[in-house]
Amino acid sequence: MNTVLIIVNIAVLLLLMYGLFMMQKKHVSFSKRVFAGLGLGIIFGIILHYIYGTESEITARSIEWFNIVGNGYVKLLQMVVMPLIFVSIVGAFTKLKLTKNIGKISFLVIGILLGTTAIAAAIGIGSALSFNLDGVQLTEGDAEKARNAALEERVPQVENLTLPQQIIDFIPSNPFQDLTGARPTSTIAVVIFAAMIGIAYLGVKRKEPEHAELFAKIIDTVYAVVMRVVTLILRLTPYGILAIITRVAATSDYDAIVNLGTFVIASYVALAIMFIVHMLLLMSAKLNPFNYVKKSLPTLTFAFTSRTSAGTLPMTIKTQTKDLGVSEGIANFAGSFGLTIGQNGCAGIYPAMLAVMVAPAAGVDPTSLSFILTLILVVTIGSFGVAGVGGGATFAALIVLSVMNLPIAIVGLLISVEPLIDMGRTALNVSGAMTAGVLTSKATSELETDVYHQPDIVEG
C-alpha cells in the first residue's frame, strides 16, 4: 500500500511539472513560472505534511524521489559555478572591461559587503532587543542535545581561527584543486587565480599581440559555451523550485516553528529591514529600487527555497549582467566575494541576534554601548572567518560567540527552525552581493543604466 501511495505522490509531482512545462510552451514569463512553481510546491508540500506527517515512510521515500529534481537541479548549478567564475573574470580582462579599475572594484565590493554586514549586525541587535528575546527560555530536546554535542567538537577549530590565516587561505596553492571546489575558500581562490591570468594576458598583449589575440578568441569561445550551459540549466528553475519547496513544506516541524515563533518573527523582521536598507542604498545612488526588486525576485526566490548561495551564483551573475546592467567582471567579483565575505544574513544578523539572547546568561548587559559596538566589530571581522570553516550561519555564530566569551549552546537549541530562517538569510546574502555589484558598477561608471531602468526582464 505504501508503495502505491509513493507512486501516486510521484505522479502528482510529475503532473505539476507538466503544468509548468505547458506554461513555458505558452510563453508565460520566467518570473511567473518561478512563482507558480513556488506556490504549487507550498500547497503540495502542506498536503503531504498533513496527510502523512513528517516522519512517515511514505513522506521520506517520496521526498527521496522528489530530490532527484530538486537536489539534481542544485547540483547542476554548482557544477557550473567554478567554470563560470574563471572564464567570466578572465573574459573581463580580454574584453578590457576590468583592467582600469580592478583595485577600486575590489575595494568597493569588499567594502560594501563588510559595511552592509555591520549594518545588518546592528539591525539584528535591535531586533533581538525589541522583541525581548531570551536564550534562557529555550529548551533542549534530544535533537538539540545531539546538535550541541556535534558543535562542541568544532569549537576548538573555531577558536583557533585568525584573520591572517583566513587571508592566507584565500591564496590558491593548487588552482586545479580549487577549480573542483575542494576547499571552503576555493571560490575566492579561483577569483584570484583568474585575475592573475587576466593580468598576465595584458602583459602578453603588449609584447606578443598575436598570441594574446588567439588567447582572447579561445576565452570568448569558452565563455559563450559556458553561458549557454548556464542558460540551459536556468530554464529548469521552476521545476527545481517546485521540488525543493515541496520538500521544505512537507518535512518542516510546524509545532517547533510555533513554539519558537517570536524568534522566527524577529529574524524575519530584521531580514526585511536589511533588505529595505539595500533599497535605500540603491536610491542613494539614484537607482530605482523597484526595478531591482522586480528583476532580482526570481533569483532571490531560488536562493530562498534552495538555501544555497553557491548554487544561486549562476543566477546571481546573470541577473546582474543581463537584467541590472552590471559589467561581467564586477558581477563575478561581487557574486564570488559575496559567497564567503560579508554575508548580511548568515554572518551579520544571525550571530548578532544570538549574542544578544545569551548575553544576560553570561552576566553581560546586551544594551550597553560597549557591548553593542564590540559585537558589531566582531561580527564584521568574523564574517571573513566563515569562509575558512564552512557551514554558513552556524559557524559564523560559533565564531562570534566564542570571541565574545558567550555560551554556544543556543546554536543547537534553534535546530528545529534553522531551515525556515536559513531560507530568508540566504536570500538576503544573495541580495547583498547583487547590491554590492550594482553599487560598485555605478560608482565606477560601468553600469548600463538603460538596461537597469528597462522595465522588462531580459530572458534567455
Side-chain angles (χ1 to χ4, degrees):
M1 183 62 182
N2 285 359
T3 302
V4 174
L5 293 174
I6 293 168
I7 292 174
V8 170
N9 293 337
I10 296 172
V12 171
L13 181 72
L14 292 175
L15 184 62
L16 295 175
M17 291 175 62
Y18 179 74
L20 293 174
F21 175 73
M22 292 306 298
M23 291 177 68
Q24 180 179 347
K25 293 287 287 184
K26 294 180 179 179
H27 304 290
V28 176
S29 70
F30 178 76
S31 58
K32 290 180 180 178
R33 286 184 279 121
V34 166
F35 285 109
L38 178 66
L40 292 171
I42 291 173
I43 295 171
F44 186 32
I46 291 175
I47 292 173
L48 292 177
H49 177 91
Y50 282 109
I51 292 178
Y52 305 113
T54 59
E55 303 296 332
S56 72
E57 179 187 359
I58 296 173
T59 300
R61 291 180 60 188
S62 296
I63 295 301
E64 283 184 2
W65 286 98
F66 296 174
N67 283 342
I68 294 177
V69 179
N71 292 351
Y73 173 65
V74 173
K75 283 185 174 293
L76 286 174
L77 284 170
Q78 292 172 333
M79 170 191 73
V80 79
V81 166
M82 292 304 182
L84 176 61
I85 292 173
F86 177 78
V87 74
S88 295
I89 291 180
V90 175
F93 280 90
T94 61
K95 298 172 185 176
L96 298 177
K97 291 185 177 180
L98 194 65
T99 56
K100 296 181 180 178
N101 298 313
I102 184 169
K104 185 177 180 180
I105 288 170
S106 301
F107 176 79
L108 285 173
V109 168
I110 295 175
I112 292 170
L113 287 172
L114 293 180
T116 52
T117 298
I119 296 172
I123 291 172
I125 294 169
S127 181
L129 292 175
S130 298
F131 282 85
N132 295 315
L133 298 181
D134 187 356
V136 177
Q137 298 177 356
L138 300 178
T139 57
E140 184 178 56
D142 292 338
E144 287 76 14
K145 289 180 181 178
R147 176 67 178 274
N148 277 327
L151 291 175
E152 289 285 354
E153 298 177 0
R154 302 299 298 271
V155 172
Q157 177 185 353
V158 172
E159 290 179 333
N160 291 332
L161 292 173
T162 65
L163 182 58
Q165 289 173 337
Q166 298 310 312
I167 295 174
I168 292 174
D169 280 342
F170 289 162
I171 301 173
S173 59
N174 185 343
F176 298 102
Q177 179 190 31
D178 286 318
L179 282 168
T180 67
R183 301 188 301 141
T185 53
S186 286
T187 302
I188 300 300
V190 170
V191 171
I192 294 172
F193 178 61
M196 293 186 69
I197 293 293
I199 293 171
Y201 159 81
L202 296 178
V204 173
K205 185 178 180 180
R206 286 193 300 270
K207 297 182 178 180
E208 300 176 272
E210 66 281 2
H211 293 321
E213 182 179 357
L214 176 61
F215 180 78
K217 289 181 179 179
I218 293 173
I219 292 297
D220 288 346
T221 302
V222 174
Y223 177 80
V225 173
V226 170
M227 287 307 299
R228 187 58 185 169
V229 172
V230 170
T231 299
L232 292 174
I233 295 173
L234 292 185
R235 287 178 177 174
L236 303 175
T237 300
Y239 311 103
I241 286 180
L242 169 66
I244 292 169
I245 201 63
T246 297
R247 179 188 65 206
V248 172
T251 58
S252 294
D253 187 343
Y254 294 169
D255 291 334
I257 292 172
V258 172
N259 292 336
L260 293 170
T262 303
F263 177 73
V264 174
I265 293 171
S267 297
Y268 272 91
V269 166
L271 293 170
I273 293 174
M274 189 59 211
F275 186 73
I276 292 173
V277 170
H278 291 168
M279 302 302 98
L280 293 175
L281 289 172
L282 293 172
M283 289 179 64
S284 69
K286 298 181 180 180
L287 296 170
N288 187 338
F290 296 105
N291 278 5
Y292 171 84
V293 173
K294 179 180 178 180
K295 294 182 176 185
S296 65
L297 209 50
T299 299
L300 298 180
T301 299
F302 176 73
F304 183 85
T305 54
S306 67
R307 297 169 52 204
T308 166
S309 297
T312 311
L313 184 60
M315 297 182 71
T316 303
I317 293 173
K318 190 168 185 180
T319 297
Q320 289 183 82
T321 55
K322 301 297 183 182
D323 302 325
L324 298 175
V326 178
S327 67
E328 293 166 3
I330 293 176
N332 277 275
F333 265 62
S336 303
F337 279 115
L339 294 182
T340 49
I341 295 175
Q343 295 188 340
N344 291 181
C346 289
I349 289 174
Y350 186 68
M353 291 183 68
L354 297 195
V356 170
M357 291 172 66
V358 299
V364 178
D365 180 9
T367 63
S368 68
L369 183 61
S370 61
F371 172 81
I372 291 174
L373 293 178
T374 302
L375 178 56
I376 292 174
L377 180 63
V378 170
V379 167
T380 304
I381 296 176
S383 67
F384 276 93
V386 177
V389 298
T394 296
F395 293 102
L398 287 176
I399 291 170
V400 171
L401 295 176
S402 297
V403 172
M404 298 287 290
N405 293 317
L406 298 172
I408 67 165
I410 189 174
V411 179
L413 297 179
L414 298 169
I415 182 176
S416 56
V417 294
E418 178 75 11
L420 177 63
I421 298 172
D422 194 42
M423 295 166 76
R425 290 192 310 238
T426 305
L428 186 67
N429 293 342
V430 171
S431 178
M434 289 197 293
T435 300
V438 172
L439 293 175
T440 299
S441 203
K442 181 67 186 300
T444 55
S445 301
E446 294 190 32
L447 183 70
E448 297 180 46
T449 53
D450 56 332
V451 174
Y452 182 92
H453 291 295
Q454 182 181 353
D456 297 325
I457 297 177
V458 179
E459 298 189 33

